[in-house]
């Protein structure tokens, strides 16, 4: 047996935790270490070891609607840990999970104005909740497909034994081989259709995760293409092209064959086959550039999904939990889901928690036997989620109103920057406290220092905001010229003013094109 070697400086001095990313962060001034956080403030270490307060407007990529280390959430976490609350109590009763499910159901039924309940599957992250949604949708589609094919097979068997052979001879579609040939042709056609892989319809610009299944629903080809052979087949629809959803669905329609007897004659008929497994939609695209789906597009999706019997999966991982000014951003555009995924702020910035909610009328109980997660549905994260929901719902939903009010104030500031710098600021987008500011591309900038950073412009601007103004934000992953702003409901007028001044500083640099670019 080989002895374990002691750790040495040679082992510990190297950067081994995603070293390439760590090196790249240094090129744009984002390689800082954060050591403490509260509210909208996160503290980084200066070179002399002191703490520097940074205004955090990235908000944990939308996870911190209540801010860093909310005192009520932290107190609850400390209480749970001090009490020795078991984290690993799998395959047992979880009343605390049921409490979260019921709280979510009450809120969602209120938002939708409906009485139908939603069965709840627990997970750890947003991407995992999407994976569960993909799997459940395919399980549901599989049952519908099997029921359809089984019905056809039973009908064929009954018809063959009950109809006189002369009736088949009158059927114009009967091949020369007669009845046997007809049945063989139908069986071959149906088998070929049934073997086709399922299709998921989603939107251009969408981001649903980077796991094996969810990454195929993410539009950014850089993330998706290297793994395209692994998982779900997606069809991407543009956001601004009326009729595109219907065209996409019509192009993906498939049918299986059956026979019917009418007037003593046998006729071949077609049945729609459930090839489309689900429509997956972010009501506000986060990573794709903070783009709000229109009510018109939402209606098209709803109609198309109903026409093929497929569920609508609403991805509220980043936009939900009140960030838009409503608990579900989808209600603001009239989009009603059959499935909902929630995550990020559900854990209050402390726990890792997410859920998939499925309408009872579509829920397949068999899913619970084929899907599970080691850390999902544990007592700690569920109790934290309950605390978060209590905070959001307190004072008649004051947090939602606050998100809407602060969002309007922040939008006005961003619009002011765009109005004063129309040559370098292209657009302001979003809703509530999920906003984006798009800058003009700098591929032809006169400043070489700025032009070199053009492929990752948003990160260079983010580095400037951090180093020069102690403000933390990032661009969106698939739209690097768009900065995102997802602060908490604790945002103050003073903090909004700081951002206004900082953004104007960045815009002035882009306008004047100094030789040093974003670095002094």
């Amino acid at each position: 047996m080989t002895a374990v070697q002691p750790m040495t400086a040679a082992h510990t001095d190297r950067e081994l935790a995603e070293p390439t990313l760590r090196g790249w962060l240094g090129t744009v001034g984002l390689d800082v270490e954060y050591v403490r956080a509260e509210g909208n403030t996160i503290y980084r270490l200066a070179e002399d070891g002191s703490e520097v307060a940074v205004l955090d407007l990235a908000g944990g990529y939308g996870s911190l609607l209540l801010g860093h280390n909310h005192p009520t959430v932290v107190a609850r976490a400390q209480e749970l840990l001090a009490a020795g609350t078991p984290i690993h109590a799998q395959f047992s009763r979880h009343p605390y999970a049921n409490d979260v499910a019921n709280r979510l159901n009450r809120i969602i039924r209120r938002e939708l104005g409906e009485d139908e309940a939603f069965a709840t599957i627990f997970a750890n992250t947003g991407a995992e909740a999407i994976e569960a949604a993909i799997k459940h949708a395919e399980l549901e589609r599989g049952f519908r497909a099997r029921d359809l094919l089984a019905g056809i097979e039973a009908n064929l068997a009954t018809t063959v034994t009950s109809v006189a052979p002369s009736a088949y001879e009158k059927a114009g579609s009967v091949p020369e081989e007669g009845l046997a040939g007809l049945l063989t042709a139908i069986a071959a056609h149906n088998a070929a259709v049934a073997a086709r892989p399922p299709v998921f319809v989603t939107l251009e610009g969408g981001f649903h995760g980077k796991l094996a299944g969810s990454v195929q629903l993410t539009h950014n080809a850089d993330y998706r293409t290297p793994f395209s052979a692994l998982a779900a087949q997606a069809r991407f629809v543009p956001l601004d092209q009326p009729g595109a959803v219907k065209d996409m669905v019509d192009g993906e329609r498939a049918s299986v064959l059956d026979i019917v007897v009418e007037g003593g004659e046998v006729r071949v008929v077609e049945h729609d086959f459930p090839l489309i497994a689900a429509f997956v939609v972010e009501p506000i695209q986060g990573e794709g550039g903070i783009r709000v789906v229109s009510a018109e597009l939402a209606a098209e999706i709803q109609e198309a999904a109903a026409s093929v019997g497929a569920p609508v999966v609403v991805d509220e991982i980043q936009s939900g939990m009140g960030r838009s000014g409503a608990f579900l951003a989808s209600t603001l555009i009239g989009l009603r889901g059959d499935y909902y995924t929630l995550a990020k702020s559900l854990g209050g910035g402390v726990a890792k928690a997410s859920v998939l909610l499925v309408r009872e009328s579509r829920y397949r109980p068999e899913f619970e036997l084929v899907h599970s997660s080691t850390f999902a549905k544990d007592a700690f994260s569920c109790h934290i989620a309950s605390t978060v929901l209590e905070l959001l719902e307190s004072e008649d939903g004051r947090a939602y109103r606050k998100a809407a009010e602060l969002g309007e104030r922040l939008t006005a500031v961003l619009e002011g920057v765009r109005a004063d710098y129309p040559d370098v600021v292209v657009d302001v987008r979003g809703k509530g406290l999920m906003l984006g500011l798009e800058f003009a591309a700098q591929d032809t900038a006169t400043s070489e220092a700025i032009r070199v950073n053009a492929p990752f412009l948003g990160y260079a601007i983010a580095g400037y905001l951090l180093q020069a103004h102690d403000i933390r934000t990032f661009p969106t992953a698939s739209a690097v010229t768009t900065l995102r702003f997802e602060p908490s409901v604790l945002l103050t007028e003073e903090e909004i003013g700081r951002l206004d001044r900082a953004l104007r500083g960045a815009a002035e640099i882009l306008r004047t094109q100094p030789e040093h670019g974003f670095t002094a």
Side-chain angles (χ1 to χ4, degrees):
M1 184 175 180
T2 304
V4 176
Q5 298 297 313
M7 292 291 288
T8 65
H11 289 111
T12 57
D13 287 348
R14 293 178 58 197
E15 185 73 45
L16 297 175
E18 298 185 342
T20 303
L21 179 60
R22 164 65 177 81
W24 182 80
L25 289 173
T27 67
V28 289
L30 294 173
D31 60 331
V32 300
E33 180 185 355
Y34 295 103
V35 293
R36 188 164 62 88
E38 58 185 351
N40 283 327
T41 303
I42 188 167
Y43 295 85
R44 67 178 178 87
L45 280 183
E47 290 185 3
D48 62 1
S50 62
E51 292 184 354
V52 177
V54 174
L55 172 59
D56 185 5
L57 299 179
Y61 296 120
S63 299
L64 298 170
L65 185 64
L66 298 175
H68 287 278
N69 293 315
H70 189 286
T72 302
V73 176
V74 169
R76 184 61 173 139
Q78 292 172 332
E79 177 185 341
L80 291 166
L81 293 173
T85 302
I87 304 298
H88 295 282
Q90 300 94 335
F91 223 66
S92 63
R93 280 189 68 238
H94 297 271
Y96 33 81
N98 197 51
D99 177 60
V100 174
N102 276 282
R103 287 177 186 270
L104 286 170
N105 264 267
R106 284 192 290 271
I107 296 170
I108 290 175
R109 288 202 297 264
R110 180 193 68 213
E111 292 253 318
L112 298 179
E114 298 179 359
D115 291 329
E116 185 173 4
F118 287 77
T120 309
I121 298 294
F122 287 76
N124 304 285
T125 66
E128 188 184 339
I130 291 293
E131 294 280 324
I134 291 172
K135 289 175 65 178
H136 189 282
E138 172 56 9
L139 185 70
E140 182 187 346
R141 187 194 74 89
F143 275 106
R144 287 190 288 134
R146 284 193 288 275
D147 289 346
L148 173 60
L149 293 172
I152 290 174
E153 290 177 7
N155 179 58
L156 291 176
T158 301
T159 305
V160 166
T161 59
S162 62
V163 177
S166 60
Y168 292 99
E169 295 172 2
K170 299 177 183 179
S173 57
V174 176
E176 294 181 2
E177 294 83 359
L179 175 58
L182 173 62
L183 296 178
T184 299
I186 288 176
H189 173 85
N190 290 354
V193 171
R196 290 174 61 180
V199 170
F200 291 84
V201 179
T202 186
L203 299 178
E204 291 183 358
F207 183 99
H208 300 285
K210 293 181 181 177
L211 300 181
S214 59
V215 75
Q216 293 309 315
L217 307 184
T218 292
H219 186 237
N220 189 327
D222 290 341
Y223 300 146
R224 174 169 44 88
T225 303
F227 313 105
S228 58
L230 292 180
Q233 301 294 310
R235 304 290 184 266
F236 296 97
V237 178
L239 277 74
D240 55 357
Q241 191 174 315
V245 178
K246 183 179 184 303
D247 291 343
M248 179 69 72
V249 169
D250 288 344
E252 295 296 336
R253 284 188 183 275
S255 59
V256 287
L257 304 179
D258 196 359
I259 55 177
V260 297
V261 181
E262 292 179 346
E265 295 184 3
V266 174
R267 187 163 54 86
V268 176
V269 296
E270 295 182 347
H271 298 292
D272 284 341
F273 185 78
L275 190 61
I276 295 177
F279 292 72
V280 185
V281 186
E282 293 170 286
I284 304 175
Q285 291 187 340
E287 307 289 329
I290 315 295
R291 298 182 184 277
V292 182
V293 170
S294 68
E296 292 75 19
L297 179 56
E300 287 186 37
I301 291 169
Q302 205 93 61
E303 183 179 350
S307 73
V308 296
V312 175
V313 180
V314 182
D315 180 346
E316 292 269 13
I317 289 164
Q318 197 164 165
S319 61
M321 302 294 299
R323 181 161 291 281
S324 68
F327 187 82
L328 297 173
S330 49
T331 60
L332 301 176
I333 57 172
L335 181 65
R336 293 178 178 273
D338 299 297
Y339 300 11
Y340 290 93
T341 56
L342 294 167
K344 292 191 181 289
S345 287
L346 182 62
V350 172
K352 295 177 177 64
S354 63
V355 293
L356 163 66
L357 298 119
V358 182
R359 286 185 182 275
E360 275 193 331
S361 56
R362 303 198 77 114
Y363 184 63
R364 302 298 311 200
E366 299 89 347
F367 189 70
E368 297 170 28
L369 304 177
V370 296
H371 180 85
S372 62
S373 175
T374 297
F375 288 95
K377 207 168 62 171
D378 68 281
F380 181 81
S381 63
C382 287
H383 281 299
I384 293 298
S386 284
T387 300
V388 168
L389 293 172
E390 286 177 8
L391 290 169
L392 292 178
E393 290 285 295
S394 65
E395 299 182 60
D396 196 27
R398 181 174 179 272
Y400 313 139
R401 296 191 299 275
K402 194 70 174 174
E405 293 164 4
L406 288 170
E408 290 178 2
R409 175 73 184 103
L410 193 52
T411 298
V413 165
L414 300 181
E415 290 285 7
V417 175
R418 181 172 71 158
D420 291 344
Y421 292 90
D423 49 329
V424 296
V425 178
V426 175
D427 198 12
V428 175
R429 296 187 294 269
K431 193 73 176 174
L433 291 177
M434 188 174 177
L435 300 173
L437 184 70
E438 183 180 357
F439 289 86
Q442 296 296 316
D443 306 85
T444 59
T446 56
S447 168
E448 183 180 358
I450 292 177
R451 190 170 62 251
V452 166
N453 286 328
F456 43 90
L457 178 67
Y459 291 100
I461 297 174
Y464 161 79
L465 294 176
L466 178 62
Q467 298 295 335
H469 295 276
D470 294 322
I471 292 177
R472 181 176 189 257
T473 192
F474 302 111
T476 64
S478 299
V480 294
T481 58
T482 300
L483 288 184
R484 76 171 86 206
F485 303 99
E486 299 186 70
S488 79
V489 292
L490 305 176
L491 190 67
T492 67
E493 279 295 322
E494 185 274 331
E495 291 169 338
I496 293 174
R498 281 178 60 189
L499 176 63
D500 188 14
R501 293 187 293 274
L503 289 174
R504 290 174 182 276
E508 190 67 24
I509 289 172
L510 291 174
R511 171 178 284 176
T512 58
Q513 297 281 309
E515 189 174 318
H516 57 72
F518 287 105
T519 58

